[in-house]
Amino acid sequence: MAKDSVDDNGVAGVVPPYPKGGYFILMGYLLERFVYYGLFGGVVFYMQRVLQFSAAESSTIKSILEGLIYLAPIFGAVLADSFVGKFRLVFSMCCCYVVGTIIFSLSSATPLMTSIQLSKATGIGGLLVFGLSAGLMKAVYSSMGPDQFQQPQQRPQQERFFYCFYWMINAGAFCGQQLTAQLRGTVQCFGGDCFMLPFLILVALMVVSTAVFYCGKSHYLVSPPDPMLVRACRCVSRALRLKFKKDAKPVKHWVDRAALPGEGAVTDLDLISDVKKAFQVFILMTTYPLFWALFYQTSTGMIFQAKRLKDYVGSYRIPPELTSSVNPLLILILIPMFDLLVYPALNRFKILTSSTSRMAAGMVFAVVSFVIYGFLNMQVEQVILNANEASVQLYNSRPCPVTVRPWDTSNTTWLIPPGGQMVETIDLKLEESNTKAFTPMVSEECGENRSQWQVVSAQLLKEHRTTIIIDVYSIKSLEPMKKYIKDEDAEATVRIISLSNVHSLTKQEFVLNYRAMNVSLLVTHGISEFYRIPPQPYKFINIKTNEVLGNVEIKQDGVYDILLSPETNMSTFAITAPSDVHVLYMIPQYIFMTIGEVLFSVSGMDFAYTEAPRAMKAVMQAANLLTITVGLWIFALLTTISTSTGVFLNRPSREAFTYSALMLIDTMVFFVLVRRYYIKIEAATRKRDTDTFREKQRREVEGSVNPAYEEEKF
C-alpha cells in the first residue's frame, strides 16, 4: 500500500508501491551469483587439483581472469546506456553465460578430455566466456534495480535496495560455494573427487536465472538509451585539445575549456558540471583498488592458508575452499544487522552517517583483518634451516625404546620411544666445508642392558636434513635432502622407503587407495620420489601381491615417510607434521574483512549511483567495478613478482604485513581526498546559490527575459 511522504521541498506526496521489477531483478541476480561463485569461488582449488596448475599459477590466472571480468562492465555499461538498452544487454549476456558454463563443465569430464592441455584450454575458455558475460552485464544489472524507484519519494527504499541486492549476491555466493565443496568432497567420479556433478547443477540454475529475468520484462522501468556518455567524451576531448594549446586561456577547471567559443563548443553547462563532478569521483576511486587486492585474497591466499591448518571437526573434514564461504555467510548476517541496528544506533550519535565515512571505516577494518591474517600465518610457518645449519631425523621402527649417543666425546644421549622419531638441528657454522661426517652410536638390542653400541655413518649437509632409520637388525642412513620443507602449494607429500630393497635394482609398485581414488607410487633402489597426494585415510596396497599392507592417514600440508620393514611391516613417520592450529582460528580475520566489505562495498555502490549524472548511472557503477579489476591485477602483479624473486617464499606472514601497511597508507590518502571532494562540492554549491540569488536580484530590477527570446538568440 502506498504511504504519505514529504519530499525535499516539504511538499506532501504519496510513496508509490514497491516496484515489482525489483523483485525479478533480485531473484534473477541471486541465481546468477549462485552459479558464478559456485564455479568461480573455488576455481583455484579446481585448477590446482584437476587442471594441474601450481598454487601460484592458479592465483595469478584467477586474478587476471577476474580482472577481465571486472573490466568488462565498462563496455557493457556503454553499450546499455548509449546504444542497445539495459534489458537487451542483460538478457543476451545471460544466454552467453549458459553457453560458457557448459564449456567450463566439460573440462571436468576427464574421459572426454584426451589430454591435460585440452582440459586446461576448455576450462580457461569456459571461464572466459561465462566470466566476461557476467562482467558485461554486472554494472547494468546493479543499476537496473535502483532505476525502478521514483525519486525523491522512494529514496529510503532505494537505499535499502542496495543492501538487499548485496545480500542476494552473498546468499548466492554462500550457497554456490557450499554446493561445489560438499558435492565435490562426498561424490567420487572418474577416479577422483567429482567436480562435474555440481557444475552440471549450476548450468541448470543459470538457465532458470535467465528465465526469471526474462519473465520480469513487462514490469521493468527502463529508460531508453541516452548518448550522454558520447557527448561527455566529446566534451572531455575538446577540453583536452584546448588545454595543450600554447595560447590556452586560463580557466578555473580544465574541463571548462570545452565551453570556449569555437568549433564544437559545448553549450550545455549542466553537461560540463556533470563531467567535472564525475572526474572528482573518479579521483576518489583511485584509492579503491588496494582494498579489493586485499579482499580477494579471501578466495586465494586465505584458502591456501586454510590448507595449512588443522581441518577436522570431529570426524568431518572441512574442505579448504569452504572456508571462503564464511565471508558470504557473515554478509547474510551483518547486512540486516547494520541496516536495522548498527546504522540507526550510529546515526543517533552522528557517526558514520555518510557513504564516504563508512568506506573509510571499511578500509580500517581491512587493515586489522590482514594484521590478524599475518599473525596466524606466523603460527603455521615451519622452521627453515639457515645457511649454517643441518638437521638429522631418526626413526625408531623397533618395538622398544632406543638410546642414541650422538657424539662419542659427550655423555649426551637421545631416547627415542618405540615407533617414535626425533629431529635435531646441528650448527655447522664452524665447519669450513658444507658437509660434516656424523657417526652416532645406537644401543644394539632391545630389552638388555648391554654396553655394546652400533655405529652408523651419516653425512650432514648445510640447509639439508639427513634421515637415519633404526630397524630391528639394521640401521640405514639416507642421503641429505631438502624435501622436509612443506609443499609450496600446501599439498601433502609422501615418500616410500623399503628397507629390504635399499641396494636392489628391483622396482616395486604400490597404490594408495581411497574409495575410487588410486595413487600409484613407484619404488626404485628401495626409495621413491616424493609424491603430492590429496589428504585422505588410505589403504596401502602392494600391487604385485595385491596385499593390503596397512592403513595410512595422510593429512593436508604434511610431509610423510612410509617405511616398509621386513621385520615390523609398515609404519608411517611425519618428516614435517601438519599444523596443529585449527582452521576455526581464521574466523576473526574473516569477521573483520567482512565488516570492512559491508562498510566499503555497499556504501561504494550507493555513492557511485547517487553521485552519477542521470544518464551515466551504469557507467559510474562500471567505473566502481573497474577498481576491482585494477585491484586484482595489482594483486596478480605482486604475486608474480614475489614468486619470481622468492621474497615471501615460506614466509606468507611477511606478505600479509606488507599488504596491511600499504592498506593503511591508502586509507590515509582516501581520507585526504574525501575532504578535498566535499570542500569542492560545498564551494560549487555556494557559488550556485550565489549565482541564483544574483540572477533573482537582476530580474527584480531589470525584469524577466522572455524565454522564447533566449531560445531565438541561440
Side-chain angles (χ1 to χ4, degrees):
M1 182 180 295
K3 297 181 181 179
D4 292 338
S5 69
V6 178
D7 65 17
D8 294 340
N9 297 316
V11 180
V14 177
V15 178
Y18 198 91
K20 292 183 180 179
Y23 292 114
F24 283 97
I25 289 172
L26 288 175
M27 289 306 300
Y29 207 59
L30 167 67
L31 293 172
E32 187 273 335
R33 291 291 91 183
F34 191 119
V35 176
Y36 179 85
Y37 282 100
L39 293 174
F40 219 85
V43 75
V44 289
F45 194 75
Y46 175 73
M47 287 193 289
Q48 183 186 353
R49 183 61 58 81
V50 178
L51 302 184
Q52 298 181 15
F53 289 106
S54 69
E57 289 172 338
S58 300
S59 295
T60 302
I61 292 171
K62 181 179 185 292
S63 297
I64 292 173
L65 287 175
E66 210 158 13
L68 288 172
I69 291 170
Y70 284 99
L71 177 64
I74 285 289
F75 301 98
V78 172
L79 286 172
D81 278 349
S82 303
F83 300 103
V84 301
K86 295 181 179 180
F87 175 81
R88 289 181 181 177
L89 184 127
V90 172
F91 179 69
S92 59
M93 288 303 103
C94 283
C95 295
C96 295
Y97 204 128
V98 173
V99 175
T101 55
I102 293 173
I103 296 172
F104 180 72
S105 300
L106 289 176
S107 68
S108 63
T110 51
L112 299 178
M113 301 291 105
T114 56
S115 65
I116 188 63
Q117 286 74 23
L118 180 59
S119 295
K120 289 180 177 181
T122 306
I124 300 300
L127 280 175
L128 273 173
V129 174
F130 89 76
L132 290 177
S133 300
L136 285 167
M137 69 180 180
K138 190 174 180 66
V140 183
Y141 229 139
S142 62
S143 65
M144 269 188 75
D147 285 348
Q148 309 307 305
F149 298 87
Q150 296 183 23
Q151 299 297 318
Q153 298 95 326
Q154 290 185 307
R155 172 56 186 163
Q157 292 94 323
Q158 183 190 67
E159 189 174 22
R160 181 157 290 174
F161 176 86
F162 284 108
Y163 290 99
C164 293
F165 188 78
Y166 209 74
W167 193 93
M168 289 294 186
I169 290 174
N170 287 275
F174 176 74
C175 295
Q177 291 174 355
Q178 286 282 339
L179 174 75
T180 304
Q182 295 295 347
L183 287 182
R184 187 272 304 169
T186 57
V187 179
Q188 303 288 304
C189 61
F190 310 134
D193 290 347
C194 193
F195 286 91
M196 189 171 189
L197 177 60
F199 288 174
L200 291 178
I201 293 174
L202 293 172
V203 171
L205 286 175
M206 191 59 221
V207 173
V208 176
S209 173
T210 306
V212 168
F213 177 78
Y214 185 81
C215 289
K217 181 180 180 181
S218 60
H219 300 288
Y220 296 142
L221 300 175
V222 182
S223 57
D226 188 328
M228 178 184 175
L229 181 63
V230 177
R231 292 188 290 117
C233 290
R234 290 173 181 169
C235 172
V236 172
S237 176
R238 187 171 193 273
L240 286 173
R241 287 199 308 270
L242 295 177
K243 176 180 173 64
F244 294 105
K245 279 191 173 183
K246 292 182 179 180
D247 57 345
K249 296 181 179 180
V251 291
K252 289 185 176 180
H253 193 286
W254 64 271
V255 177
D256 291 331
R257 289 192 174 89
L260 294 177
E263 184 180 354
V266 177
T267 57
D268 187 349
L269 299 183
D270 287 337
L271 174 64
I272 293 177
S273 177
D274 286 342
V275 169
K276 288 194 289 187
K277 188 175 182 181
F279 271 107
Q280 291 171 8
V281 176
F282 291 152
I283 291 172
L284 267 179
M285 288 182 176
T286 59
T287 59
Y288 294 8
L290 196 58
F291 176 88
W292 295 117
L294 269 66
F295 172 76
Y296 276 92
Q297 290 199 48
T298 58
S299 59
T300 52
M302 290 187 185
I303 287 181
F304 290 119
Q305 183 190 59
K307 291 177 69 176
R308 297 194 183 278
L309 301 177
K310 187 178 180 181
D311 52 9
Y312 275 90
V313 177
S315 59
Y316 173 70
R317 177 176 175 266
I318 302 173
E321 71 270 34
L322 196 60
T323 56
S324 63
S325 67
V326 173
N327 172 256
L329 176 61
L330 288 171
I331 286 285
L332 302 183
I333 299 170
L334 290 175
I335 281 184
M337 183 186 299
F338 270 72
D339 185 33
L340 302 175
L341 298 175
V342 177
Y343 285 147
L346 292 176
N347 286 339
R348 292 178 184 176
F349 300 97
K350 296 183 179 180
I351 300 174
L352 301 184
T353 55
S354 67
S355 298
T356 50
S357 63
R358 293 171 182 176
M359 293 169 70
M363 290 177 163
V364 173
F365 274 95
V367 173
V368 176
S369 173
F370 258 68
V371 170
I372 298 172
Y373 173 52
F375 278 115
L376 189 59
N377 273 328
M378 288 179 66
Q379 302 305 311
V380 300
E381 289 172 354
Q382 74 176 101
V383 177
I384 307 295
L385 295 171
N386 63 39
N388 295 312
E389 291 179 336
S391 70
V392 58
Q393 62 184 11
L394 299 97
Y395 299 153
N396 178 19
S397 66
R398 295 181 182 179
C400 58
V402 167
T403 301
V404 178
R405 181 178 292 174
W407 299 280
D408 57 2
T409 59
S410 172
N411 292 326
T412 303
T413 58
W414 299 336
L415 182 64
I416 308 175
Q421 65 186 101
M422 72 175 299
V423 178
E424 288 290 332
T425 300
I426 300 173
D427 193 349
L428 299 182
K429 64 182 179 181
L430 299 178
E431 298 294 321
E432 294 182 359
S433 64
N434 288 330
T435 63
K436 178 182 179 180
F438 182 63
T439 55
M441 296 184 294
V442 182
S443 56
E444 189 174 283
E445 296 183 19
C446 294
E448 299 183 19
N449 293 323
R450 303 177 61 176
S451 60
Q452 296 181 359
W453 297 84
Q454 196 169 3
V455 179
V456 60
S457 295
Q459 195 75 19
L460 299 181
L461 180 62
K462 289 182 180 180
E463 301 183 57
H464 290 65
R465 179 177 292 181
T466 300
T467 304
I468 297 176
I469 303 168
I470 305 170
D471 198 24
V472 176
Y473 296 111
S474 64
I475 303 177
K476 298 286 192 302
S477 172
L478 304 181
E479 292 291 327
M481 52 87 178
K482 275 192 171 183
K483 291 292 187 178
Y484 74 92
I485 300 176
K486 293 181 178 182
D487 183 73
E488 187 178 347
D489 298 339
E491 290 290 344
T493 55
V494 173
R495 174 179 67 173
I496 300 176
I497 302 171
S498 178
L499 294 178
S500 60
N501 289 277
V502 170
H503 302 295
S504 172
L505 297 177
T506 304
K507 292 184 178 181
Q508 297 172 285
E509 189 174 359
F510 301 91
V511 165
L512 288 172
N513 168 259
Y514 172 73
R515 297 182 181 177
M517 184 189 305
N518 291 300
V519 181
S520 297
L521 301 99
L522 184 65
V523 176
T524 306
H525 298 288
I527 190 168
S528 74
E529 298 291 332
F530 278 91
Y531 289 86
R532 298 171 61 175
I533 65 174
Q536 297 292 356
Y538 291 98
K539 293 179 180 178
F540 190 68
I541 303 172
N542 187 327
I543 291 293
K544 185 176 181 180
T545 62
N546 200 29
E547 176 186 2
V548 178
L549 302 178
N551 296 316
V552 180
E553 178 75 18
I554 302 298
K555 296 183 179 180
Q556 188 78 51
D557 200 35
V559 185
Y560 296 92
D561 270 338
I562 299 176
L563 184 63
L564 300 177
S565 168
E567 292 79 15
T568 58
N569 296 323
M570 189 203 80
S571 53
T572 305
F573 296 94
I575 299 174
T576 304
S579 170
D580 59 355
V581 179
H582 203 278
V583 71
L584 295 180
Y585 281 102
M586 294 182 68
I587 291 178
Q589 69 195 39
Y590 273 107
I591 290 176
F592 278 92
M593 181 57 80
T594 306
I595 292 174
E597 181 190 3
V598 171
L599 289 165
F600 184 87
S601 185
V602 181
S603 301
M605 290 172 61
D606 186 35
F607 180 75
Y609 185 87
T610 55
E611 297 297 307
R614 181 186 57 80
M616 294 178 64
K617 300 295 186 183
V619 172
M620 194 65 80
Q621 289 291 345
N624 186 35
L625 294 171
L626 179 62
T627 65
I628 301 178
T629 295
V630 178
L632 288 165
W633 286 354
I634 288 174
F635 172 61
L637 176 63
L638 293 176
T639 301
T640 302
I641 293 172
S642 64
T643 301
S644 59
T645 60
V647 64
F648 299 129
L649 183 63
N650 301 312
R651 293 291 179 266
S653 62
R654 296 176 184 174
E655 182 178 29
F657 291 137
T658 300
Y659 275 116
S660 60
L662 292 174
M663 188 69 234
L664 183 60
I665 296 171
D666 188 61
T667 305
M668 295 175 182
V669 174
F670 176 78
F671 182 77
V672 172
L673 291 177
V674 165
R675 289 189 57 130
R676 289 183 58 192
Y677 175 79
Y678 282 116
I679 288 172
K680 289 182 178 180
I681 292 296
E682 289 173 5
T685 302
R686 286 196 301 269
K687 183 178 183 303
R688 184 170 60 250
D689 292 343
T690 301
D691 291 345
T692 302
F693 178 73
R694 288 176 177 172
E695 178 64 17
K696 183 178 179 181
Q697 283 185 322
R698 185 188 66 80
R699 291 189 179 188
E700 288 177 354
V701 174
E702 300 178 4
S704 299
V705 177
N706 188 335
Y709 176 71
E710 290 270 335
E711 292 178 6
E712 190 175 334
K713 281 202 315 181
F714 283 106

